[in-house]
Amino acid sequence: MVEATARFKAINPSASIRYIVFGAKASADARTEFGTNAIVSTLHAFAHSQVHAKYGLGQVKPFLTWMDLPKFPKRPFGKDSAILQLIEDYCISPFTSMDDFVAEQHDDFEYSLVPHAKSIMNLMAKGELAVTHSFYLKLFHVLVVRGIIKLSHVDKLLVDEAQDLSAIALDIIERIPTDHLVIVGDQNQRIFEFLKLENGFKRFHTAKVLNLTQSFRVDNYYAPAIQEFLQEHLEVHAEFKGMIYPPNPIIRTKAYIARNNVTLIGKMIELNQQHIPYNLSSSAKLNQMFKLPLAVIYAKPGHIQRDIELKHLQYDIDQYHKESSSYRASVSLFKHLLSMDELQSSLKSAITLVLKFGSEDIIAAYQHAKDHKGTKHQLTLLTGHTSKGSTFDEVELDNDLNLSLDEIKAGTFRGDSEAIHAELCLYFVCISRHRHRLTNCKHLNL
């Protein structure tokens, strides 16, 4: 797209081109590559430029807590976190009114919290309360869909990652007047199944399709094996062609890619113990990365858990402490939790991590993690999901990625057909991040 855009601008220097990309790093890279030939932004940056100053919104925060909320009007005691979660759930939903969102909820929904959520959102909209990224994007979404904001015409509109778009993104994209819409993506890289994103190619199913088979990243040595993987698991007629590089390339950048954050923390601890420097992505969300291991470390009965993701864990902890003293003397909390069939695999991994490394090393890794963000060492640690769009000279896969494929082939993977498809797509993403060298890739026929 970069070269095609440059040629188009050379012929039509006054033409307007907007490129919507997803992810801060991808946006920064694209701005460098496109230069002045296109207006490059993420959807959030586009929304921010349209509503934040114009509507006098307050400070932007990644998330709000009970400490950000005013004392008045009064709210039900202990329900601030639930109210904020309700607002977040609405903001990331496809709905353009809270009432429509509420109408689609199930019987266990706390309808009594809706007026309080609306009251807080009104304060946010009037600039009297800090706002989240999801809130100003939702405000932009609502105003665009209702025709209050009329978006400017562009000659060409380019959209990346079309295989994984939110309903919000699609609503906005459809309302940007343009002479030529170009959507780019790879349906074999639909890795965000858990976010309930839509396949943009289905929304624009009547568009002319151009298939791109050439990878501008992977050494041609690996291309036949990757194509074989695609044809066996994802797309029967897939084509995948690689690049021809000079022999004996210099390895300047390396990546270690894991399936999830917990496994990545284990690698961080090992590198810390060996005094090996490494980078973490500048966009890495450290609190989210360490949430489960730290929750396990600091587990205690009777804690008022406001994090919805951890409420089930807290319930299981409380139930354990209601067991007899003889039971607790013979069965530790961790052993008790690991014995539960219904315990999430991510929590089992977090407990296993704590048992393997101990609390001190995990807490130390968390305390020093920010020192590794955005640094310039040779080695970068990523999860498969955060590696998307990245390129490295050499990539090593953590064995947890191979184990997931083992489970799929053995029929023991816990998940429905969509989850299995997303897992296969994730493996494809991970095996196509390298230029020259790929190691510990057990499911490629090399």
Side-chain angles (χ1 to χ4, degrees):
M1 285 198 297
V2 174
E3 185 60 34
T5 299
R7 290 198 299 267
F8 179 78
K9 284 287 285 187
I11 299 171
N12 306 278
S14 62
S16 57
I17 302 173
R18 177 175 288 279
Y19 178 37
I20 295 178
V21 64
F22 295 87
K25 184 179 184 302
S27 178
D29 292 343
R31 283 195 296 272
T32 300
E33 293 170 354
F34 279 90
T36 59
N37 289 329
I39 303 168
V40 177
S41 71
T42 63
L43 189 67
H44 279 85
F46 184 31
H48 187 275
S49 69
Q50 296 284 321
V51 300
H52 190 266
K54 181 177 180 179
Y55 290 93
L57 301 182
Q59 177 188 1
V60 178
K61 292 187 174 183
F63 57 89
L64 301 184
T65 70
W66 64 272
M67 292 184 289
D68 296 297
L69 302 182
K71 293 183 178 179
F72 300 99
K74 288 288 188 180
R75 298 173 298 277
F77 178 75
K79 290 293 184 178
D80 283 350
S81 293
I83 293 168
L84 290 171
Q85 187 62 51
L86 168 57
I87 293 171
E88 179 67 14
D89 290 344
Y90 162 63
C91 286
I92 64 175
S93 78
F95 298 98
T96 54
S97 80
M98 175 65 85
D99 290 339
D100 289 342
F101 170 75
V102 170
E104 293 297 314
Q105 303 310 304
H106 301 296
D107 292 340
D108 58 349
F109 182 77
E110 294 189 79
Y111 294 93
S112 62
L113 301 183
V114 173
H116 304 285
K118 287 183 175 181
S119 174
I120 290 170
M121 287 194 296
N122 284 334
L123 293 176
M124 295 165 76
K126 291 189 293 185
E128 297 176 16
L129 197 65
V131 299
T132 59
H133 296 288
S134 59
F135 177 83
Y136 69 70
L137 179 60
K138 174 56 70 179
L139 178 62
F140 180 54
H141 178 216
V142 170
L143 296 176
V144 168
V145 169
R146 294 182 181 178
I148 298 172
I149 290 181
K150 304 290 186 183
L151 297 174
S152 300
H153 173 273
V154 291
D155 294 302
K156 290 187 182 293
L157 175 61
L158 316 177
V159 180
D160 202 2
E161 304 294 352
Q163 77 284 346
D164 277 321
L165 292 176
S166 68
I168 294 173
L170 286 165
D171 281 350
I172 294 169
I173 290 164
E174 286 186 316
R175 288 167 174 79
I176 301 175
T178 184
D179 298 332
H180 189 194
L181 170 63
V182 179
I183 62 173
V184 180
D186 184 347
Q187 299 194 65
N188 294 322
Q189 295 190 30
R190 292 204 72 221
I191 62 175
F192 295 104
E193 173 267 344
F194 59 93
L195 295 178
K196 308 301 180 186
L197 299 179
E198 295 186 30
N199 186 342
F201 293 106
K202 291 184 177 180
R203 180 80 73 103
F204 303 104
H205 62 276
T206 60
K208 181 180 179 180
V209 177
L210 298 175
N211 291 313
L212 304 177
T213 60
Q214 175 70 57
S215 167
F216 293 95
R217 177 185 291 124
V218 177
D219 191 301
N220 197 53
Y221 167 77
Y222 295 92
I226 294 175
Q227 178 174 288
E228 181 182 343
F229 177 87
L230 284 170
Q231 292 176 348
E232 180 182 353
H233 297 292
L234 292 169
E235 185 183 349
V236 173
H237 302 294
E239 292 184 57
F240 189 94
K241 300 175 183 177
M243 295 285 289
I244 298 176
Y245 292 105
N248 303 316
I250 298 173
I251 303 298
R252 292 187 172 87
T253 58
K254 297 182 179 182
Y256 187 91
I257 302 179
R259 182 172 175 267
N260 58 49
N261 285 325
V262 171
T263 310
L264 205 62
I265 293 169
K267 186 65 175 178
M268 291 169 61
I269 294 171
E270 290 177 359
L271 294 174
N272 290 341
Q273 292 172 343
Q274 298 169 31
H275 305 290
I276 297 176
Y278 58 89
N279 314 309
L280 294 174
S281 169
S282 58
S283 61
K285 299 177 180 179
L286 300 181
N287 288 339
Q288 185 66 31
M289 179 185 292
F290 282 85
K291 178 193 286 189
L292 294 182
L294 292 178
V296 170
I297 289 170
Y298 293 115
K300 63 179 181 180
H303 175 65
I304 300 175
Q305 183 55 259
R306 293 186 170 90
D307 189 320
I308 290 178
E309 188 179 353
L310 300 177
K311 282 186 178 294
H312 288 295
L313 172 63
Q314 186 60 50
Y315 174 82
D316 292 335
I317 293 168
D318 291 342
Q319 291 301 112
Y320 168 77
H321 283 276
K322 292 178 181 178
E323 296 284 352
S324 65
S325 57
S326 60
Y327 176 83
R328 286 184 279 116
S330 60
V331 180
S332 69
L333 171 61
F334 291 167
K335 184 176 180 180
H336 171 81
L337 293 173
L338 289 172
S339 70
M340 300 174 63
D341 291 336
E342 66 273 20
L343 192 69
Q344 295 176 347
S345 60
S346 55
L347 273 172
K348 288 186 177 180
S349 297
I351 294 169
T352 303
L353 181 77
V354 175
L355 292 172
K356 179 178 179 180
F357 291 105
S359 301
E360 290 186 7
D361 282 339
I362 295 172
I363 294 170
Y366 173 63
Q367 291 173 338
H368 296 289
K370 65 180 182 298
D371 300 332
H372 296 277
K373 288 184 65 173
T375 50
K376 301 295 182 182
H377 300 299
Q378 185 185 42
L379 176 63
T380 300
L381 306 187
L382 310 99
T383 63
H385 292 91
T386 58
S387 74
K388 197 167 184 301
S390 300
T391 303
F392 301 91
D393 293 331
E394 180 178 313
V395 168
E396 179 183 356
L397 302 189
D398 188 280
N399 206 44
D400 61 353
L401 287 159
N402 294 313
L403 291 174
S404 292
L405 267 289
D406 289 339
E407 291 174 358
I408 289 173
K409 291 183 176 182
T412 59
F413 183 83
R414 295 178 67 178
D416 58 18
S417 59
E418 288 187 0
I420 290 173
H421 184 268
E423 198 70 29
L424 292 167
C425 288
L426 181 64
Y427 201 80
F428 168 58
V429 167
C430 295
I431 61 178
S432 57
R433 299 304 94 197
H434 66 288
R435 289 190 185 92
H436 306 304
R437 194 175 300 156
L438 177 64
T439 61
N440 197 33
C441 184
K442 296 179 181 179
H443 292 276
L444 275 193
N445 185 22
L446 294 171

